Each structure stands twice: as C-alpha cells, then as structure tokens.
C-alpha cells in the first residue's frame, strides 16, 4: 500500500493495484473552514482525477467540495455512507454510487462499513496482499469507537486530528491524547494522522504532535504525512 496525502484529509491510496481517492477537496478557497496555505496540493490535478474510485466519509464541504463534485468523472465508482448521500451524488450526475455495507467490493478489494456510536461510519479496506486499513473519517473517542476498533482489528488506521479547540468547535476530531489512547487500544496498527496544520485557527502542528508522541516513546508505528510524499505501509 502506498499512501499519499494531498492535503488536509484528502488522500490518494495505491491499494491492491488500484488508485483510490479519499474525501477529495479540490478547491481550497471554497472550503467551509479556512484552510492553511500549507495545505496547497502537492499532487497534480490530472493525477488526482485519474483515480479508479472514490470513498467519501461524508459530504461536508471540508470532505467533498464543489470543485470535486464538478471535476471528477461522473462514471467513477463512488462509495458513500448512506442512501441520502447516494441520492445526492446521483442528483449531481454520478452514475456509479454505492453504499458501503457489511460486504461491499470494489473489484477484489473488500470495503466494510465500521459503525461508530455517535459518529459517521468508518470504512475498512481489505485485500489479501495488503495491510487492512481503516479510514475513520470524522470521529470522537467513545466506547462505540473503541469497540469498533477492536472488532475491525485493522493493521493501519487513518484518523482526522485536531487541537482540543477544534474538537470543541467540531466535535468529530481526535486530539493528541486520543491518538495515544488509540495506540494503546490497537498497538498492532500503524497510525496515520491526517489534517495536521490544515486550519489556521485550530491547526494541530506537526512539531507539537511529534514532541507529544516522543514523550510517550511512540514513533515506530506513527506517521504524520507531508503533502505529496509517498509512504509505503
């Protein structure tokens, strides 16, 4: 698996021979929250638009903006949370929109909905040749989230992070303390922290998070991706 962070929570995954785009935001100035200039995409738009499929953890503008809605090919397979999201995407002209259920497949890649109590659903990606990857989307730390992590047993987890102030303003983010608790709950999993330095007023910066984790003696399975770089998992 190769993971490439475009910016914020927009990821491009090379998984089992397919390129899968996660939560595409393609026009930063139209995002609902003020994104930092540090999030400028380091990957060409052409490469992004050549993805084989799209997974959307929500239809919030910070996860799927008007530019992505306009620019993505309308025939691309799109995997969404529920019937409301499916109907909205079909109304926007997308012709291959599927809901991630308990047993959904994109080719030979298994996609499984992972329900979090009080949160949007996560998506577990599995293939025999790859580590299992859980995309949590916007989540809060609670018993439902913890139980879902234990049930899924992923080998890698991509989580959206923010400061405590961001978590209070939009209570669907994991803080640095939550990331540490997640590691304790799933020590087998590599943790990929997304959305670092993505927002002006609430930006959780890389250095602070790295220092926090170093104090915990945790760095071997901990990744703070930089925009545009490839990470082999």
């Amino acid at each position: 698996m190769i993971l490439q962070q475009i910016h914020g929570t927009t990821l491009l995954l090379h998984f089992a021979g397919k390129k899968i785009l996660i939560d595409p935001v393609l026009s930063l100035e139209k995002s609902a929250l003020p994104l930092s200039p540090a999030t400028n995409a380091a990957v060409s738009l052409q490469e992004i638009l050549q993805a084989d499929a799209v997974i959307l953890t929500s239809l919030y503008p910070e996860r799927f903006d008007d530019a992505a809605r306009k620019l993505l090919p309308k025939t691309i397979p799109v995997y969404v949370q529920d019937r409301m999201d499916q109907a909205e995407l079909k109304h926007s002209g997308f012709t291959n929109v599927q809901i991630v259920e308990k047993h959904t497949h994109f080719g030979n890649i298994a996609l499984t909905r992972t329900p979090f109590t009080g949160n949007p659903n996560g998506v577990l990606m599995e293939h025999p040749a790859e580590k299992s990857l859980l995309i949590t989307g916007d989540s809060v730390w609670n018993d439902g989230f913890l139980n879902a992590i234990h049930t899924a047993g992923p080998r890698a987890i991509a989580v959206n992070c923010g400061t405590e102030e961001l978590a209070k303003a939009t209570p669907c983010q994991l803080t640095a303390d939550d990331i540490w608790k997640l590691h304790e709950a799933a020590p087998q999993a590599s943790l990929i922290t997304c959305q670092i330095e993505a927002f002006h007023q609430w930006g959780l910066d890389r250095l602070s998070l790295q220092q926090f984790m170093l104090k915990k003696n945790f760095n071997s399975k901990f990744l703070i991706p930089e925009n545009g770089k490839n990470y082999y998992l």
Side-chain angles (χ1 to χ4, degrees), residues 54 63 74 100 103 134 151 161 173 177-178 189 201 220 224:
V54 177
R63 305 291 172 252
K74 294 301 180 288
V100 178
H103 302 289
L134 178 61
T151 300
C161 305
Q173 313 292 328
D177 285 325
D178 295 330
Q201 70 271 51
S220 61
I224 307 175

Side-chain angles (χ1 to χ4, degrees), residues 19 33 42 77 98 103 114 133 144 165 189:
K19 291 197 299 185
L33 294 176
Q98 299 184 49
H103 302 289
T114 304
L133 171 66
E165 289 78 10

Side-chain angles (χ1 to χ4, degrees), residues 1-33:
M1 177 195 336
I2 304 174
L3 179 144
Q4 192 175 37
Q5 178 174 274
I6 309 303
H7 59 77
T9 59
T10 302
L11 305 176
L12 187 62
L13 298 175
H14 296 254
F15 193 91
K18 299 293 185 181
K19 291 197 299 185
I20 301 178
L21 186 61
I22 311 294
D23 287 347
V25 173
L26 304 183
S27 178
L28 300 184
E29 65 272 13
K30 292 186 178 181
S31 297
L33 294 176

Side-chain angles (χ1 to χ4, degrees), residues 11 15 22 30-32 51 54 67 75 77 84 86 110 112 128 132 148 151 157 159 170 172 174 181 212 221 233:
L11 305 176
F15 193 91
I22 311 294
K30 292 186 178 181
S31 297
V54 177
T75 57
M84 290 181 61
Q86 183 185 49
T112 305
S132 56
T151 300
I157 307 173
V159 296
T170 58
C172 287
L174 297 187
K181 289 188 289 187
F212 177 87
K221 290 188 176 181
L233 302 173

Side-chain angles (χ1 to χ4, degrees), residues 163 196-197 202-211 224:
T163 60
I196 303 300
E197 297 179 350
W202 295 309
L204 181 62
D205 64 275
R206 286 179 169 84
L207 180 59
S208 296
L209 186 55
Q210 286 171 342
Q211 291 176 339
I224 307 175

Side-chain angles (χ1 to χ4, degrees), residues 1 15 125-133 155-156 190 233:
M1 177 195 336
F15 193 91
M125 301 174 58
E126 295 177 290
H127 184 275
E130 301 282 10
K131 288 183 178 179
S132 56
L133 171 66
R155 297 292 305 280
S190 300
L233 302 173

Side-chain angles (χ1 to χ4, degrees), residues 86-100:
Q86 183 185 49
E88 182 173 336
L89 266 291
K90 286 185 174 181
H91 183 73
S92 296
F94 291 90
T95 59
N96 188 0
V97 186
Q98 299 184 49
I99 301 168
V100 178

Side-chain angles (χ1 to χ4, degrees), residues 76-87:
I76 192 170
V78 183
Y79 295 87
V80 297
Q81 293 273 326
D82 54 35
R83 292 185 183 279
M84 290 181 61
D85 289 357
Q86 183 185 49

